[in-house]
Amino acid sequence: MLGYTIKQAVSDATIRIMAQQFVTSIDNFSYNNVAMQIKIAGLNPIRNDPNLTRIFNAKVAENVELINYMRDRYADSITGIVSRAISNGDGTGAITKAIVNQTGMSVRHAALVANDQTGSTIAKFNQARHQAAGAKYYVWQSMEDNRVRPKHQMLDGTRQKYGDPNGGDDGQTPGEPINCRCVASPVFSFY
């Protein structure tokens, strides 16, 4: 009953609205970010087009799926904790400790997913806007700190081609790999 209650606590419609608001805020950030990047070239970023709509809808669906998965997994885990505790004859202290531990792990996992989804969504929107503005290439820029993974240290400052399956990090642009904090700076050719 506890698991069912957790799963029903937030409706699918509410989850979809939350995901849409999240992706909308990232889209707005991308628009402003790309506007600053390409302003020097005298170009304007695109606000809307079919490719951006496709990215938006795909990212909303992906986030709804992730939220539902995490909610269901958390509910099932809590149900399992309570069931095992009852079967073992554990008291409320043991149940509380197990639930607090599980909740902490779930919160950390949710933070990882949120950070990852933010980075990968920004990367997709920025790439679409860069390419729509005429950039075929980008420069890979890392955060240049001790948290940058070795492969991204090697890519830092290199010129990469959008859409190259052998470029970047196994075909992925900055921000797409899990927990990547790197960014792509567009390269424009006007000749």
Side-chain angles (χ1 to χ4, degrees):
M1 195 63 176
L2 178 63
Y4 177 78
T5 302
I6 292 171
K7 289 179 183 181
Q8 299 304 314
V10 180
S11 72
D12 290 344
T14 300
I15 290 172
R16 182 159 184 76
I17 289 168
M18 289 177 358
Q20 287 173 328
Q21 290 171 339
F22 174 71
V23 176
T24 296
S25 68
I26 293 172
D27 182 28
N28 289 333
F29 176 84
S30 167
Y31 177 82
N32 292 326
N33 184 49
V34 172
M36 288 188 316
Q37 287 177 322
I38 66 177
K39 184 178 183 179
I40 195 163
L43 301 171
N44 291 315
I46 56 171
R47 174 52 95 184
N48 296 303
D49 80 356
N51 191 35
L52 290 174
T53 301
R54 181 188 57 74
I55 293 168
F56 181 89
N57 290 334
K59 286 298 186 176
V60 167
E62 183 178 344
N63 279 276
V64 166
E65 187 177 315
L66 282 167
I67 293 167
N68 282 327
Y69 171 76
M70 287 189 299
R71 177 196 62 194
D72 293 349
R73 188 171 157 201
Y74 178 75
D76 292 343
S77 176
I78 298 298
T79 302
I81 288 169
V82 173
S83 296
R84 281 187 300 281
I86 292 170
S87 295
N88 295 338
D90 293 338
T92 56
I95 295 172
T96 301
K97 185 176 178 180
I99 289 174
V100 166
N101 185 42
Q102 179 57 49
T103 300
M105 288 190 307
S106 296
V107 167
R108 287 188 296 279
H109 183 249
L112 170 71
V113 169
N115 284 334
D116 179 59
Q117 284 299 301
T118 300
S120 66
T121 303
I122 288 171
K124 287 292 186 191
F125 279 130
N126 285 357
Q127 178 179 347
R129 286 188 166 101
H130 290 165
Q131 289 181 291
K136 291 183 174 85
Y137 296 91
Y138 64 91
V139 173
W140 188 291
Q141 293 184 312
S142 77
M143 292 292 117
E144 298 181 0
D145 60 20
N146 62 354
R147 292 176 42 208
V148 175
R149 60 193 89 180
K151 184 165 191 172
H152 294 190
Q153 288 174 355
M154 290 177 18
L155 288 167
D156 188 38
T158 63
R159 182 177 160 147
Q160 304 288 320
K161 183 175 183 176
Y162 277 119
D164 181 357
N166 300 312
D169 186 348
D170 296 325
Q172 294 181 310
T173 59
E176 286 187 289
I178 293 175
N179 253 3
C180 176
R181 300 172 299 131
C182 301
V183 295
S185 292
V187 175
F188 296 101
S189 297
F190 296 105
Y191 51 89

